[in-house]
Amino acid sequence: MPNFFGDITILLGDGTGDFSAAPTSPESVDGVPFAIAVGDFNGDGDGDLAVGDELSDEIVILLGDGTGDFAAAPTSPEGTGVGPVAIAVGDFDGDGDLDLAVTRLRRRHNSAGRRQRRLHRGPDEPRERR
């Protein structure tokens, strides 16, 4: 399997509509960062990132320090199953802690055994059941 390394560029706004890269930007992540969401996941008042890694099928939580620098949370990554492509943040169970909702793509194998992505089904294709 090829080795992929992605990164996330953090651009800090100056309040006038202009942005410049944070001193520690870009933030390196192993894999392919495909989806991203912002929330205060550890309750310290600083913005944190939830990053969907399409290659490893995990969500990496990066904790922000309030200066534009981020570090992986001690309990990160979180498994999601297959191919996280979008992340939403909210308190879904009413306990006061932020939760994540993750959409995923299912993988199928073609006749050559290669993985392929399925984004939609045609009008005459039956709906697959899990």
Side-chain angles (χ1 to χ4, degrees), residues 1 5 17 21 30 36 42 56 58 60 67 77 80:
M1 173 175 271
F5 297 97
D30 290 343
I36 193 165
N42 61 354
S56 70
E58 297 173 325
V60 177
T67 68
T80 64

Side-chain angles (χ1 to χ4, degrees), residues 41-103:
F41 302 122
N42 61 354
D44 65 357
D46 297 324
D48 305 316
L49 301 174
V51 181
D53 180 355
E54 200 269 339
L55 186 64
S56 70
D57 300 332
E58 297 173 325
I59 301 291
V60 177
I61 304 298
L62 299 174
L63 302 177
D65 67 3
T67 68
D69 192 19
F70 294 83
T75 59
S76 188
E78 305 292 335
T80 64
V82 178
V85 295
I87 306 168
V89 177
D91 182 6
F92 304 127
D93 57 5
D95 65 358
D97 297 322
L98 291 179
D99 307 307
L100 302 175
V102 180
T103 60

